[in-house]
Amino acid sequence: MWDYSDKVKDHFFNPKNAGAVEGANAIGEVGSISCGDALRLTLKVNEESEVIEDAGFQTFGCGSAIASSSVLTEIIKGMTLDDALKVTNQDIAAELDGLPPEKMHCSVMGREALQAAVANYRGEEWKDDHEEGALVCKCFAIDAVMIEEMVWANKLRTVEDVTNFTKAGGGCAACHEDIEAILEKVLKERGETFDPNAAPIEKVEAKAEKKPLTNLQRIKKIEEVIMSFRPQLMADGGDVELVEVVDKTAYVNMTGACNGCQMSSMTIAGIQQRLMEVMGEFIKVVPASQMPTAGLVNIKEAGHA
């Protein structure tokens, strides 16, 4: 039984951004259902800034494929295309607190889908460098270029490593000698010696724990999220404003058509959910009417200052 992190399980049972993005202007498709894994990534890109405003995925595959696709969309939202292209399969796995070695190919598929989507947006033809007759693994259509790239990028050492990261060699095994030749070549270039009896690399570990937000950083992020909700509310005759932040509780005022609206509680819940997604910590959003009296007095005094 593979050892899955809590983050992998969460993204599998509660995937983020599942489905196609409405009005997408970038689409990337990789994999093949016949080979067991396929991913379709859709992006909505701001044409002036090239910032990814929304991302969605449709995946055919295992739980790790779903989790990798889900976390990828969370990572790249808000990035420019150039910054998104810097995201590696190691970043995807690390954001999930690691993946079992046997499932690392799922993170590679996510990275390739992103490259394909960016190429699609820019009117370019994305190629996976396959050439007729150059395939190393015919079972899964994996070529030498991809294997070499993965060996370099992930410091792979064994045929088992290559299979875990690319699926090459996972079928009939007829390509194992060719994979060993590639490993020997790349390791020599790295100043290492290929050892056919070496142990495979261990599970890719998570990134170092993120530092907690300062109060100033927390307030700034809360303001940014609330600002993102305002245009839609204002279009319906309402609005929302941040009144105060106390520890990890944000007090807000719903004004205009939102004041007393039956949907205001759902709007507040939506803001809270979005804040937790953006900040990676629990944030409570509460109507200002529930703020402690002392706090309300201070606000009034501030208003008359």
Side-chain angles (χ1 to χ4, degrees):
M1 195 70 182
W2 289 307
D3 180 22
Y4 291 110
S5 70
D6 289 339
K7 280 191 176 181
V8 171
K9 294 174 185 175
D10 180 53
H11 277 277
F12 172 64
F13 290 114
N14 306 289
K16 312 297 189 296
N17 312 304
V21 170
E22 185 175 350
N25 53 0
I27 300 173
E29 295 180 314
V30 295
S32 168
I33 292 178
S34 63
C35 292
D37 290 303
L39 169 60
R40 187 172 192 261
L41 184 68
T42 53
L43 309 176
K44 187 173 183 181
V45 182
N46 184 297
E47 295 183 1
E48 294 183 359
S49 63
E50 286 202 338
V51 168
I52 299 172
E53 297 179 339
D54 201 2
F57 75 94
Q58 295 164 289
T59 295
F60 178 88
C62 62
S64 295
I66 293 171
S68 295
S69 303
S70 172
V71 79
L72 172 64
T73 59
E74 289 291 278
I75 291 172
I76 63 176
K77 280 199 295 186
M79 285 185 171
T80 63
L81 293 181
D82 286 338
D83 285 340
L85 285 174
K86 297 175 184 176
V87 174
T88 66
N89 70 287
Q90 297 102 317
D91 293 329
I92 297 170
E95 197 67 27
L96 289 168
D97 287 346
L99 280 172
E102 297 85 357
K103 294 296 181 180
M104 280 301 296
H105 62 270
C106 297
S107 64
V108 175
M109 186 170 67
R111 188 205 62 152
E112 291 189 333
L114 175 58
Q115 293 174 335
V118 173
N120 174 256
Y121 173 80
R122 291 175 170 170
E124 302 168 353
E125 183 180 357
W126 180 76
K127 295 181 179 180
D128 53 11
D129 298 312
H130 290 326
E131 296 179 6
E132 189 67 30
L135 295 181
V136 172
C137 175
K138 296 182 179 179
C139 295
F140 294 103
I142 307 297
D143 70 343
V145 173
M146 180 179 182
I147 294 173
E148 285 191 27
E149 182 181 344
M150 288 299 104
V151 172
W152 272 108
N154 298 282
K155 296 180 171 60
L156 308 185
R157 298 189 297 261
T158 69
V159 173
E160 184 177 343
D161 290 335
V162 172
T163 301
N164 291 338
F165 277 70
T166 69
K167 299 184 83 172
C172 68
C175 59
H176 282 197
E177 287 188 9
D178 291 335
I179 294 174
E180 287 184 351
I182 293 172
L183 282 165
E184 188 172 2
K185 171 180 174 290
V186 175
L187 289 175
K188 185 177 181 180
E189 292 172 357
R190 285 203 320 230
E192 302 175 35
T193 302
F194 171 63
D195 179 3
N197 299 314
I201 63 173
E202 298 179 357
K203 177 178 177 179
V204 176
E205 298 299 332
K207 293 178 180 176
E209 186 175 349
K210 295 179 181 179
K211 294 181 179 180
L213 295 172
T214 65
N215 287 335
L216 184 60
Q217 290 172 328
R218 185 176 292 112
I219 291 171
K220 184 177 179 181
K221 285 185 176 293
I222 292 173
E223 289 176 337
E224 289 173 353
V225 170
I226 288 177
M227 284 296 294
S228 71
F229 275 80
R230 292 189 64 201
Q232 183 61 50
L233 295 176
M234 293 173 70
D236 295 331
D239 204 353
V240 59
E241 61 177 356
L242 177 64
V243 176
E244 182 62 281
V245 177
V246 180
D247 294 327
K248 294 186 178 181
T249 301
Y251 294 93
V252 300
N253 260 338
M254 306 299 295
T255 61
C258 293
N259 185 19
C261 172
Q262 294 180 348
M263 299 293 289
S264 62
S265 60
M266 293 184 64
T267 300
I268 289 176
I271 294 173
Q272 178 172 303
Q273 178 63 34
R274 181 60 180 151
L275 280 170
M276 290 191 290
E277 292 175 355
V278 169
M279 301 171 70
E281 62 181 28
F282 179 77
I283 295 289
K284 190 175 183 180
V285 180
V286 179
S289 59
Q290 298 179 24
M291 189 172 170
T293 305
L296 290 175
V297 170
N298 290 335
I299 291 173
K300 291 178 180 178
E301 290 176 351
H304 290 292

